[in-house]
Amino acid sequence: MQIAPELRDSRILVVDDEPHLVEMLGVSLRYVGFEVASATTGVEALRVAEEFRPDLVVLDVMLPDADGFALLPMLRAGGEVGVLFLTARDSMDDKLHGLTIGGDDYVTKPFSLEEVITRVGVILRRLRPTGIAGITQSSGMLRYADLVLDEDGHEVWRGDQPIHLSPTEFSLLSFLMRNAGRVMSRAQILEHVWHYDFNGDSSVVDSYIRYLRRKVDVYDPPLIDTVRGVGYSLRLPRDRR
């Protein structure tokens, strides 16, 4: 399996208390070109992350000394880091919770190595959109009403107010801005933001739209419009039917 050349300098931290799984993932991720470090406890994960500065963490939820969900904000304390939860906790409630608190993806055990590597690549592409996602604007700036998104700097503003978004929220807003005025279905959003269909479950889209509204639409006028039974659109209230 191949990954994009521009992603091969990415650093991946694998955190799991099963040594054979850590070794298997480490070998596979190194084989396709990533630099890999590992940890088997929450304490060790935080120490290694501080030294290794990973671009992405493959994170087990059930560690002997910590809950992986609780580790997420601590792993991101030093800067933006992609997080792929990899766990045996396979209920929809757990999956939605992991995504709700800011996880970029959620894979349940047992899993295929090809799937994990593919999803790691998808997250890294979202973290590094410039030059990968086909940006045509030379400045990398998207604008709609008073909303500005800088794809080069990974920054968002409404008026003069900065808005801090997770990588997935950023990708979702970028997609809506590129299609401003058009109604995008949940299936289209899943395909273009997550690059797969979440096994047909589109509730993750609704969850992330809610997160985005809490950050973008706290200012007037609200820009994210729900079209019942169809999907979502970025448009001013005066343009809505």
Side-chain angles (χ1 to χ4, degrees), residues 22-61:
V22 170
E23 182 179 3
M24 179 178 65
L25 280 171
V27 169
S28 299
L29 290 165
R30 289 186 186 95
Y31 180 77
V32 297
F34 296 123
E35 185 178 348
V36 181
S38 63
T40 57
T41 67
V43 170
E44 185 182 13
L46 294 174
R47 178 184 59 77
V48 174
E50 186 175 1
E51 298 172 355
F52 184 59
R53 298 292 181 184
D55 298 297
L56 182 143
V57 181
V58 178
L59 180 61
D60 189 12
V61 174

Side-chain angles (χ1 to χ4, degrees), residues 171-216:
S171 295
L172 174 57
L173 182 59
S174 175
F175 179 65
L176 292 175
M177 291 185 73
R178 287 181 172 280
N179 293 280
R182 300 173 57 197
V183 179
M184 309 309 295
S185 70
R186 290 171 177 81
Q188 287 174 309
I189 294 171
L190 280 171
E191 179 183 352
H192 287 87
V193 177
W194 279 270
H195 301 281
Y196 49 88
D197 64 5
F198 258 92
N199 297 319
D201 176 29
S202 64
S203 60
V204 67
V205 174
D206 301 327
S207 295
Y208 268 89
I209 288 289
R210 286 197 300 271
Y211 312 150
L212 207 52
R213 277 196 173 118
R214 291 170 189 165
K215 297 180 179 182
V216 172

Side-chain angles (χ1 to χ4, degrees), residues 4 9 19 22 26-27 60 81 85 112 155 159 179 184 196 219 224:
D9 62 344
V22 170
V27 169
D60 189 12
V81 179
F85 286 116
S112 75
E155 296 177 315
N179 293 280
M184 309 309 295
Y196 49 88
Y219 307 98
I224 302 173

Side-chain angles (χ1 to χ4, degrees), residues 97-161:
H97 178 63
L99 296 170
T100 298
I101 63 173
D104 295 287
D105 207 341
Y106 194 104
V107 177
T108 57
K109 302 174 183 178
F111 58 87
S112 75
L113 289 169
E114 291 81 2
E115 179 186 15
V116 171
I117 293 170
T118 296
R119 296 194 184 201
V120 164
V122 168
I123 296 170
L124 289 171
R125 283 195 296 273
R126 291 205 299 262
L127 290 168
R128 300 183 183 185
T130 304
I132 299 172
I135 294 170
T136 56
Q137 295 91 335
S138 59
S139 64
M141 303 288 284
L142 300 176
R143 301 175 186 270
Y144 185 79
D146 63 344
L147 181 65
V148 179
L149 183 146
D150 178 0
E151 295 196 282
D152 293 343
H154 210 273
E155 296 177 315
V156 177
W157 301 268
R158 277 207 72 172
D160 60 356
Q161 296 298 314

